[in-house]
Amino acid sequence: MTSSKIAILDVGHGNCAVVIDRGGTSIIDAGLGGTLLDFLHENKVNQVEYVLISHADTDHIGGLIGLLAADDISVREVYLNPDPVRTSKIWEDLKSVLKEARSKRGTVVKNGLSTTIPGEMNTGDILIRVMAPAPELALSGIGGTLATGARVSAHTLNAVILVLYEGTGIALFPGDLDETGLDELRAEQRDMRAKVLVFPHHGGLPGKDPSAFARLLCELVKPETVVFSIGRGRHQTPRPEVVSAIRSASPGTHIACTQLSDRCAATLPTPIPSHLSSEVALGREKNQCCAGTLVIHPLPSRPTRVDHAAFITIAAPTAVCKEEVGDSSRGRSAKR
Amino acid sequence: MVIAIQMSFEAVGVIDDDPADAEVVKFQIEETGRRPIMFESGFSSLDDLVNRVRAAKVNGVVCDQRLRIRNYAVFDGAEAVARLFESKIPAVLISKYTQIDLETSIRPLRAKIPVLLPKDEIDPSSLVAALERCESEVRGTVPQSRRPHRTLVRIDDVKGELVDAFVPSWNPNQAIRFPRSIIPNKLRANLKPDDRFFAMVNTDAPTADELFFENFTSAPKVGPEDDIF
């Protein structure tokens, strides 16, 4: 019998999570590169039931193309909101790989990912629930205007996915949700609590006030661990003010970046870290992992909080996640 | 200063048609505590290369890319390193012309060139790391960044014998240039923008320089009738 696990993969700057359950395997965003494929191969997964793409930025579609092109992995159903790329060349790329995947492996793509399409998927012990967008928000379309006067962007319509195990929220995947999308989600008054929050935008700017966004999201989710899926040296994420706001809103929350930010450590550690999970991680080859690929079992998780915190103490002398709350200048100064 | 790094290379061959550059590499190898073996007289063929490298009992090779200039060899360094790789001899390719030659003579053989080291990055540490990486791959341990995956390649532009292309699953926003000769004859006859292929590509490569392409096949053509929903 397959034991359930949720893996948040270190794919560098990008998002990708795999839910392995006794009823099948599901993927939430596909990242770029081959890490997802390596993970599936190493876990002997050759059939994927559901792929949920939170939003249709070109990098997210690129990762989906990589997954569908793999001829040794069958994907049954793909759900996405495709608007931003529908007239682009990458859409034609997707159509090409899908044409083969559909004829050879029976893959089906569903136009839409919302609280009603498909709404929920039960994969055995795990329930995957789409928390946003609500169908009426999805219908407003990109470029539309809400009753509040806010403009709708692709990130407003970003799908938010909650993974539950035996009724308890285990992990929330908000993709690149923006401020407007979060306001709409709050208005729905749904229970968003989850032990693990994969923070939107990799800890970058979600709108005009990243601190307020971080505080509100943490108040709604009440996470024990916040994950930043980042690539070392890319885009300077997570931003110190975001990390500071999380730590202020949720004291004691464990911060886990998949890779070691150069804000936190100007040089990479020499010894091979022993705290990482055994799963494939993009940063492992060059010793760039901080938490690396995180694997959530019902209990325990790897790396453990204690092991990861010990690693940071040794390897990240200017760690943003250990700064005094309110002092977000140290990391930026160090970078300069 | 001798770098005290444990490695299995006791003797390292130096293949470079430029005597001054060869001396620099020789010095750097000596700094690692290893014994450089110089190949000063050039090679008549790739078979000659493999035979003489084997006869010299070197544990690894550092090979320059441009070997034809002084009639030192009838092949490029990329061909030499690829042939040594096939012969299970670890070899590092070095060059002053990395970016220029990558697009023409190196890219087609990149799958068999574990490390391409610009000459200005050569020092004892980088040489040791490069040789160890080559040795590891020759023995069958392929790092994640060099594992090929079947993926889509879209032709963006065709400029004579060079092709610009995108690999959306690697980076949808960065073009890669390679010679059209990488694509099999029967597929490249009427090559044009927006042609699509499947190929084996190491899509976890951190930089475009490290990408290689193998086993091209045609990808399905699509039109307006191919709505995917």
Side-chain angles (χ1 to χ4, degrees), chain A residues 317-328:
Chain A
T318 53
V320 175
C321 58
K322 298 297 179 192
E323 287 177 358
E324 291 294 319
V325 174
D327 176 15
S328 60

Side-chain angles (χ1 to χ4, degrees), chain A residues 155-193:
Chain A
H155 294 160
T156 307
L157 300 183
N158 186 106
V160 177
I161 312 294
L162 178 63
V163 174
L164 301 103
Y165 183 86
E166 295 180 345
T168 299
I170 300 296
L172 187 79
F173 300 92
D176 281 350
L177 186 70
D178 64 10
E179 286 174 341
T180 306
L182 182 58
D183 287 340
E184 291 295 310
L185 183 54
R186 179 177 56 173
E188 295 286 325
Q189 295 187 319
R190 301 183 75 181
D191 185 355
M192 293 171 59
R193 287 174 297 174

Side-chain angles (χ1 to χ4, degrees), chain A residues 32-35 37-38 42 58-59 62-63 65-66 69-71 80 82 86 89-100 102 109-111 280-282 285-286, chain B residues 133 143-147 149-152 154-156 166 168-173 193-194 196 198 203-204 206 210 218-229:
Chain A
L32 283 173
T35 307
L37 300 174
D38 284 332
E42 290 184 7
T58 54
D59 54 340
I65 288 168
D71 55 1
L80 79 163
R86 197 150 186 178
K89 288 190 175 181
I90 201 166
W91 188 248
E92 298 297 307
D93 296 338
L94 178 61
K95 286 167 72 172
S96 179
V97 294
L98 184 71
K99 192 170 183 176
E100 183 196 68
R102 182 158 55 185
V109 173
K110 302 288 182 72
N111 183 6
V280 62
L282 184 63
E285 188 175 319
K286 293 192 173 176
Chain B
R133 184 163 175 166
Q144 187 177 340
S145 61
R146 286 184 45 83
R147 288 180 205 158
H149 299 282
R150 185 175 187 264
T151 195
L152 188 94
R154 183 204 327 134
I155 305 302
D156 184 64
F166 285 93
S169 67
W170 175 72
N171 184 339
N173 300 308
D194 294 335
R196 289 174 172 83
F198 289 115
T203 52
D204 268 334
E210 295 170 63
S218 291
K221 294 187 185 308
V222 292
E225 72 283 6
D226 290 303
D227 196 1
I228 68 175
F229 298 114

Side-chain angles (χ1 to χ4, degrees), chain B residues 152-174:
Chain B
L152 188 94
V153 178
R154 183 204 327 134
I155 305 302
D156 184 64
D157 199 4
V158 181
K159 296 175 179 173
E161 290 307 307
L162 292 175
V163 171
D164 292 342
F166 285 93
V167 181
S169 67
W170 175 72
N171 184 339
N173 300 308
Q174 185 176 348

